[in-house]
Amino acid sequence: MGRWEPDARGRLMAAAIELFLEHGFEQTTVADIAARAGLTERTFYRHYADKREVLFAGPIDLHALLAETIAAQSDSAAPIDAVAAALDTVGGLLQQNREGSRLRQRVIDANPMLRERELIKLASLGAAMADALRARGVTDPTASLTAEAGIAAFKVGFETWINDATDAHDLQHHVSECFDQLKAVTAGR
């Protein structure tokens, strides 16, 4: 190994995505990823439990961020608006790396096991938001329905954003449009 360089976690993620796109997820090993990043396998395992987690473990706890943002909304905020605010916060983080998000999604879309893992992650984020809504006094099924609807709006907005060849709008714009459409649909318009 060469001289120490910063951002091992970011280098591992970049190396993994490159290799997953070049050789496929199944054919890429942790040893391959570590070597491409100029690190050891031991360093890889200090940052990630396995090679899937390179794609799903972010630098911050999204569950906590969503819950904190929902809790911080005014008491008068409608549940859907609290969820929209929380997902807007997450969108702001993802917005910082549009091309990285596109590449990550290409890897996920190419592998059924990763698509399943993505759905599990979205479901767990939805559950965290439903719990945060319940903590605000929102009862079920409203808390669960609102959180699930929010995840659906975010997912569609995210897909629109990464497939927007013009790059004319940021992620928050696309997600906000999806929330507006969701509200229109539920209002019967």
Side-chain angles (χ1 to χ4, degrees), residues 14-85:
I17 289 173
E18 287 172 7
L19 288 166
F20 295 158
L21 290 170
E22 290 171 16
H23 305 292
F25 177 80
E26 294 294 334
Q27 293 72 30
T28 301
T29 66
V30 167
D32 296 333
I33 296 166
R36 173 76 61 101
L39 299 165
T40 65
E41 285 184 66
R42 185 175 179 171
T43 299
F44 178 94
Y45 287 115
R46 268 191 232 125
H47 294 278
Y48 300 105
D50 59 42
K51 67 181 182 177
R52 287 178 313 155
E53 286 306 303
V54 172
L55 299 168
F56 297 103
I60 63 165
D61 182 357
L62 291 181
H63 297 82
L65 177 63
L66 290 167
E68 291 165 8
T69 306
I70 288 172
Q73 300 308 299
S74 71
D75 291 341
S76 63
I80 195 70
D81 294 328
V83 165

Side-chain angles (χ1 to χ4, degrees), residues 95 98 102 105 109 152-179 181:
Q95 177 61 40
R98 185 180 218 149
R102 284 178 173 147
Q105 198 61 47
D109 289 346
F154 185 83
K155 184 176 181 295
V156 171
F158 180 83
E159 290 168 359
T160 304
W161 174 65
I162 62 171
N163 292 315
D164 180 2
T166 67
D167 290 343
H169 299 288
D170 63 16
L171 176 56
Q172 287 105 324
H173 171 84
H174 289 290
V175 173
S176 178
E177 278 191 342
C178 287
F179 271 99
Q181 291 170 12

